[in-house]
């Protein structure tokens, strides 16, 4: 099969590789679509997450097949798999917790200290014609939902988890700083959660337009005016703010635009040092809260993945608004990763269809 494999910084190759065998608790998926994530771009540039030496849990090492936001149809199941059948359309939950650390014992699997990520640290990835993953990592899609839309479930779940972390209530006001793919999923989740007014700060004009389409009431260009000042003037301070820009000015603008006693939820990741206005946190008794990925409790509980899948089935998600380009596997680097890594890109989500 053909697969995009990561060898090191700036080096992704489309290789012909032997398909992996299916173990007794695994499933093989014929990949329909895989979204390019900011993590993929960061890995392409810096090689921080893929192991150079065999990973202690998976044994995988570079070159590694990448891609973790993917969906497809099950083409083979292991001998012990009873929950999934051949032909089922599925989306993949890429994070495999250790289930042994203190966080897994508490059910906080997204805080696992030894998580294993499909598409970064295993032998499988979504930028390939096929992928073999544990059956416990797949979620069945409604049969009336086009299978390619399943590739959006992972980033949409990130946005939903962020809104849940903020404890936002219906009729609250909110502001989002940074309207990249995840910031936009937060806007969509805020609108779904019943936020009274949603504000956004984003320098890219194309993404400002998408923010308005997804439910933002006002969008500010922070390079042209003071976003925090405009938001505070309009609201007196929002109840909840969200930072997904990954730069210190955005973090502090989020704090400044939040009312006293409100919540600032930070979900961006940066390797640099960020200075935070602690006085604004302390004297205003604002809560500064991190958000990471999404919950993965036992299947007896409803996860963010399940909630997003239900919305897809109800037609409540504007999938076409998020997807701004669909490309083949051969175009992954030039028309996908490098295009999204450009500072002036107007794209939101680019899907690769192997």
């Amino acid at each position: 099969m053909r697969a995009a494999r990561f060898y090191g910084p700036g080096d992704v190759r489309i290789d012909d590789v032997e398909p992996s065998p299916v173990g007794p608790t695994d499933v093989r998926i014929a990949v329909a679509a895989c979204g390019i994530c900011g993590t993929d771009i960061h890995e392409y540039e810096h090689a921080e997450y893929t192991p150079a030496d065999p990973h202690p849990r998976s044994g995988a090492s570079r070159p590694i097949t990448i891609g973790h936001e993917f969906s497809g149809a099950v083409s083979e199941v292991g001998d012990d798999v009873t929950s999934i059948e051949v032909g089922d359309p599925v989306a993949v939950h890429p994070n495999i917790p250790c289930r042994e650390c203190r966080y897994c014992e508490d059910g906080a699997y997204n805080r696992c200290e030894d998580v294993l990520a499909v598409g970064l640290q295993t032998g499988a990835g979504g930028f390939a014609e096929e992928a073999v993953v544990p059956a416990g990592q797949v979620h069945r899609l409604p049969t009336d939902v086009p299978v390619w839309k399943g590739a959006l479930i992972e980033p949409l779940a990130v946005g939903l988890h962020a809104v849940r972390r903020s404890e936002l209530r219906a009729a609250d006001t909110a502001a989002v700083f940074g309207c990249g793919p995840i910031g936009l999923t937060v806007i969509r989740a805020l609108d779904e959660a019943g936020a009274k007014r949603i504000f956004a700060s984003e320098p890219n004009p194309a993404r400002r337009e998408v923010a308005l389409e997804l439910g933002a009431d006002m969008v500010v260009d922070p390079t042209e005016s003071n976003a925090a000042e405009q938001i505070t003037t309009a609201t007196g301070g929002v109840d909840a703010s969200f930072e997904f820009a990954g730069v210190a000015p955005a973090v502090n603008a989020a704090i400044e635009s939040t009312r006293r006693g409100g919540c600032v939820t930070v979900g961006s990741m940066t390797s640099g040092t960020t200075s935070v206005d602690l006085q604004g946190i302390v004297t205003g008794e604002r809560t500064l809260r991190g958000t990471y990925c999404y919950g993965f409790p036992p299947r007896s509980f409803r996860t963010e993945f399940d909630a997003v899948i239900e919305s897809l089935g109800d037609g409540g998600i504007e999938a076409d608004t998020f997807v701004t380009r669909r490309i083949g596997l051969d175009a992954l680097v030039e028309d996908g990763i490098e295009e999204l890594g450009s500072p002036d890109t107007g794209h939101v989500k680019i899907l690769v269809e192997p």
Side-chain angles (χ1 to χ4, degrees):
M1 70 172 186
R2 298 169 71 247
R5 298 204 295 171
F6 178 72
Y7 284 77
D11 189 0
V12 170
R13 309 175 198 175
I14 310 302
D15 293 337
D16 287 316
V17 299
E18 286 295 320
S20 300
V22 175
T25 59
D26 295 335
V27 298
R28 186 188 307 281
I29 298 169
V31 179
C34 183
I36 302 174
C37 175
T39 300
D40 298 317
I41 299 167
H42 184 85
E43 186 64 11
Y44 178 74
E45 297 172 346
H46 303 288
E48 288 187 14
Y49 306 122
T50 54
D53 300 314
H55 191 280
R57 283 187 63 191
S58 70
S61 61
R62 300 184 201 130
I64 276 182
T65 302
I66 53 176
H68 58 276
E69 300 177 357
F70 66 103
S71 59
V74 174
S75 60
E76 184 180 351
V77 300
D79 292 339
D80 296 340
V81 175
T82 58
S83 57
I84 299 292
E85 298 180 353
V86 170
D88 282 346
V90 295
V92 174
H93 186 302
N95 298 327
I96 307 173
C98 73
R99 299 188 182 276
E100 295 178 355
C101 68
R102 59 185 290 186
Y103 303 106
C104 286
E105 288 179 355
D106 289 341
Y109 296 112
N110 62 319
R111 300 173 191 167
C112 175
E113 296 179 306
D114 192 22
V115 68
L116 187 65
V118 174
L120 288 170
Q121 295 141 356
T122 72
F127 297 137
E129 294 176 332
E130 296 178 355
V132 174
V133 301
Q137 299 301 125
V138 302
H139 291 249
R140 187 183 291 105
L141 299 174
T143 55
D144 59 345
V145 172
V147 69
W148 67 265
K149 292 185 179 182
L152 297 174
I153 290 171
E154 199 269 357
L156 286 164
V158 175
L160 176 57
H161 184 72
V163 172
R164 287 181 170 179
R165 286 282 291 158
S166 74
E167 298 181 358
L168 177 117
R169 298 170 298 183
D172 278 354
T173 54
V176 178
F177 291 80
C179 296
I182 300 302
L184 291 170
T185 68
V186 171
I187 290 174
R188 185 255 163 207
L190 285 167
D191 189 50
E192 185 89 351
K196 182 179 180 180
R197 297 182 73 190
I198 302 170
F199 300 82
S201 171
E202 169 57 45
N204 186 289
R207 290 179 171 178
R208 290 200 299 271
E209 288 299 319
V210 177
L212 290 168
E213 289 181 42
L214 291 172
D217 297 286
M218 185 178 85
V219 184
V220 181
D221 180 352
T223 66
E224 297 290 336
S225 58
N226 187 315
E229 186 176 287
Q230 286 200 44
I231 293 168
T232 303
T233 299
T235 64
V238 294
D239 298 294
S241 65
F242 300 82
E243 193 282 318
F244 282 91
V247 293
V251 176
N252 289 308
I255 294 170
E256 185 182 342
S257 67
T258 305
R259 66 167 173 81
R260 289 173 175 252
C263 182
V264 181
T265 302
V266 178
S268 63
M269 298 179 69
T270 175
S271 56
T273 300
T274 301
S275 298
V276 175
D277 176 17
L278 288 180
Q279 185 158 330
I281 294 291
V282 174
T283 61
E285 288 198 329
R286 296 172 176 89
T287 299
L288 182 62
R289 179 169 291 178
T291 181
Y292 181 65
C293 287
Y294 27 74
F296 186 27
R299 287 297 174 83
S300 57
F301 296 97
R302 190 168 183 260
T303 69
E304 280 96 358
F305 260 58
D306 297 318
V308 171
I309 290 170
E310 185 175 307
S311 291
L312 272 176
D314 293 341
I317 294 178
E318 312 82 350
D320 292 313
T321 303
F322 287 99
V323 178
T324 51
R325 177 179 285 177
R326 297 162 77 162
I327 61 176
L329 192 59
D330 290 327
L332 168 63
V333 174
E334 184 176 357
D335 294 337
I337 293 174
E338 292 181 350
E339 174 66 26
L340 284 172
S342 171
D344 59 351
T345 184
H347 285 289
V348 178
K349 181 63 64 177
I350 295 178
L351 293 187
V352 178
E353 299 176 320

